[in-house]
């Protein structure tokens, strides 16, 4: 046997024995636990919601709901019955939200909205009819008071015609038709009232030569007046709108005119006030002077707000009050001066008579009723007169 091989084998045996000894002295490490893996469950498939496709019946419900809503807005039911209107709107919005995605929900919501809108009309028209009846009576009376029935007899007759039609439709059970006719009658009466306002303003402008203060607005007002007259009885909303614009334009012309008058009048009022101050009228007649001053200050405040007709009227009132105060105080002063003069004359005459008597029959010293000291008279103002 080869000695080298023997040595190698012997070395290998020794190593094996050493490894075995080491294994016996230290127990082997516990194996790492293998994590258990749960089997993955497949995700449940979500089926899309089943719904009927939009058909003609659902579209018809939607359109009916929208038509009722538009009618409500036209007649102002949304403002007259806000709480009930909000409930109907909520159902309508729910119907629109479900439209195309949930047929049954959309159908139910539209039907509920239609029922609510319809119920609103029935109750609202009854209440509106009572309110409208009062408004119509008041508007008609106002138009007559303004003279519209005699100044615009033909147009006033058309307003009465619409009123009679409204009554007839109401008696026949046509609430919606009666409401529409009553609205036309009301608009016509109010247009006539505006027409009379325009006539009054125009007369005022002509009388005071105000047109030159704002010729452009005055010309436009004339155009609007003609437009209103042409549309009345056929296109009543247009007639009312044109009449309103006409009155606004004429009011602008009138305002400009009164501003000019106020600017001319103010220096004169100040002049009269200064005359009052020169004779101390605020002391002699404090209440009356205070009222005049209050009107003057009011005129300035109204002018600052561009209310020149009222400002001018306040200015006229201040002028009259200042003038009255000045005249009254002047009369009092004149009366006082006359009294003083008369008293002085009486004193002088008495003194002369006394002296003449003394010459004829000398009076004793310190005789009663006679003195060398001057006689003193006290005036109304407390001034001493000698």
């Amino acid at each position: 046997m080869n000695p080298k091989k023997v040595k190698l084998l012997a070395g290998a045996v020794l190593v094996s024995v050493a490894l075995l000894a080491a294994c016996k002295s230290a127990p082997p490490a516990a194996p790492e636990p293998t994590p258990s893996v749960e089997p993955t469950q497949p995700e449940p498939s979500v089926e899309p919601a089943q719904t009927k496709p939009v058909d003609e019946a659902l579209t018809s419900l939607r359109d009916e709901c929208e038509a009722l809503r538009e009618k409500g807005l036209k007649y102002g039911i949304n403002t007259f019955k806000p709480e009930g209107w909000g409930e109907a709107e909520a159902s309508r919005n729910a119907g629109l939200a479900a439209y195309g995605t949930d047929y049954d929900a959309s159908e139910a919501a539209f039907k509920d909205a239609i029922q609510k809108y319809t119920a609103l009309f029935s109750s609202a028209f009854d209440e509106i009819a009572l309110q409208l009846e009062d408004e119509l009576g008041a508007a008609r009376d106002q138009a007559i008071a303004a003279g519209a029935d005699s100044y615009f007899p033909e147009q006033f007759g058309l307003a009465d015609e619409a009123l009679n039609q409204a009554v007839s439709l109401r008696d026949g059970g046509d609430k919606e038709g009666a409401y529409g006719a009553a609205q036309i009658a009301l608009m016509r009466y109010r247009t006539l009232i505006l027409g009379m306002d325009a006539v009054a303003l125009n007369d005022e402008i002509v009388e005071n030569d105000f047109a030159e203060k704002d010729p452009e607005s005055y010309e436009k007002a004339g155009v609007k007046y003609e437009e209103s007259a042409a549309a009345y009885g056929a296109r009543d909303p247009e007639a009312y709108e044109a009449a309103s614009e006409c009155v606004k334009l004429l009011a602008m012309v009138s305002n400009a005119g009164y501003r000019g008058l106020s600017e001319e009048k103010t220096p004169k009022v100040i002049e009269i006030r200064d005359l009052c101050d020169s004779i101390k009228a605020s002391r002699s007649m404090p209440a009356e002077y205070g009222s005049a001053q209050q009107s003057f200050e009011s005129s300035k405040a109204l002018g600052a707000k561009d209310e020149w007709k009222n400002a001018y009227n306040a200015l006229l009132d201040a002028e009259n009050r200042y003038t009255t105060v000045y005249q009254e105080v002047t009369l009092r002063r004149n009366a006082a001066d006359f009294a003083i003069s008369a008293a002085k004359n009486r004193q002088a005459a008495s003194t002369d008579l006394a002296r003449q008597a003394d010459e004829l029959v000398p009076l004793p010293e310190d005789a009663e009723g006679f003195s060398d000291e001057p006689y003193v008279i006290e005036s109304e103002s407390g001034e001493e007169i000698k």
Side-chain angles (χ1 to χ4, degrees):
M1 180 177 290
N2 190 333
K4 290 184 179 179
K5 289 183 179 180
V6 172
K7 290 180 178 179
L8 287 172
L9 288 172
V13 170
L14 290 173
V15 171
S16 298
V17 171
L19 287 174
L20 288 172
C23 289
K24 288 180 180 179
S25 62
E32 292 291 332
T34 303
S36 61
V37 180
E38 295 291 334
T40 58
Q41 298 293 329
E43 292 290 334
S45 59
V46 179
E47 295 292 332
Q50 297 296 321
T51 181
K52 291 169 56 179
V54 172
D55 60 8
E56 185 177 348
L58 186 61
T59 301
S60 178
L61 278 177
R62 182 199 64 183
D63 293 346
E64 182 182 354
C65 182
E66 292 301 291
L68 286 172
R69 181 176 187 270
E70 288 300 316
K71 187 171 75 169
L73 292 174
K74 173 184 175 182
Y75 291 125
I77 307 297
N78 56 319
T79 56
F80 193 76
K81 292 278 191 179
E83 185 175 350
W85 182 264
E87 294 175 0
E89 287 284 277
S91 295
R92 168 202 175 247
N93 293 336
L96 291 175
Y99 186 79
T101 59
D102 190 331
Y103 188 101
D104 292 338
S106 181
E107 180 185 43
F110 282 142
K111 286 182 177 180
D112 185 59
I114 289 170
Q115 185 273 329
K116 288 177 177 176
Y117 282 132
T118 303
L120 275 176
F121 294 147
S122 179
S123 62
F125 279 134
D126 287 339
E127 293 181 35
I128 291 174
L130 295 175
Q131 179 180 332
L132 194 56
E133 185 176 345
D134 293 338
E135 291 182 5
L136 270 169
R140 189 175 188 276
D141 290 344
Q142 187 179 351
I144 292 174
D149 55 331
S150 57
Y151 198 91
F152 300 113
E154 182 178 348
Q155 290 82 356
F156 190 85
L158 289 175
D160 276 352
E161 182 180 309
L163 175 60
N164 293 333
Q165 182 183 12
V167 172
S168 177
L169 289 170
R170 182 196 62 191
D171 293 343
D174 186 352
K175 295 180 180 180
E176 185 178 338
Y179 177 82
Q183 286 283 30
I184 291 175
L186 183 61
M187 188 175 297
R188 288 179 182 177
Y189 287 129
R190 288 178 173 172
T191 300
L192 294 178
I193 293 168
L194 287 171
M196 294 306 299
D197 289 343
V199 170
L201 280 168
N202 186 67
D203 289 345
E204 186 177 62
I205 290 169
V206 172
E207 181 180 352
N208 294 284
D209 294 325
F210 286 165
E212 60 185 16
K213 299 294 183 180
D214 190 352
E216 183 178 353
S217 295
Y218 188 67
E219 183 177 353
K220 289 181 180 178
V223 173
K224 290 297 178 181
Y225 185 87
E226 295 300 327
E227 289 179 0
S228 178
Y232 187 91
R235 301 180 307 279
D236 291 294
E238 293 180 25
Y240 179 82
E241 187 63 30
S244 299
E245 190 65 24
C246 173
V247 170
K248 289 178 184 178
L249 290 166
L250 290 175
M252 290 171 58
V253 177
S254 175
N255 197 53
Y258 279 110
R259 177 173 184 169
L261 291 180
S262 297
E263 291 171 349
E264 293 174 7
K265 179 65 67 176
T266 299
K268 298 178 182 178
V269 176
I270 293 175
E271 182 180 354
I272 298 173
R273 184 191 63 182
D274 291 345
L275 287 173
C276 289
D277 293 341
S278 70
I279 60 174
K280 297 180 174 57
S282 60
R283 293 183 183 178
S284 301
M285 300 179 66
E288 293 80 357
Y289 182 89
S291 295
Q293 186 66 12
Q294 184 177 0
S295 292
F296 185 65
E297 294 299 326
S298 176
S299 173
K300 291 194 291 185
L302 289 165
K305 293 192 294 185
D306 202 35
E307 298 177 13
W308 287 105
K309 182 174 182 177
N310 292 333
Y312 180 69
N313 288 332
L315 202 58
L316 289 179
D317 184 65
E319 181 183 37
N320 291 333
R321 291 179 183 274
Y322 280 132
T323 300
T324 299
V325 169
Y326 180 75
Q327 291 174 344
E328 182 65 24
V329 173
T330 300
L331 285 174
R332 290 183 184 182
R333 288 174 63 88
N334 290 341
D337 290 342
F338 179 79
I340 292 170
S341 178
K344 286 182 177 180
N345 291 335
R346 287 195 301 272
Q347 180 188 8
S350 297
T351 301
D352 289 342
L353 288 173
R355 285 174 180 168
Q356 292 174 12
D358 186 41
E359 291 175 359
L360 296 173
V361 182
L363 295 173
E365 292 295 330
D366 300 324
E368 186 178 354
F370 182 79
S371 172
D372 290 334
E373 296 297 326
Y375 183 67
V376 178
I377 302 173
E378 190 172 290
S379 69
E380 282 187 24
S381 61
E383 180 183 358
E384 293 184 348
I385 306 165
K386 298 180 179 180

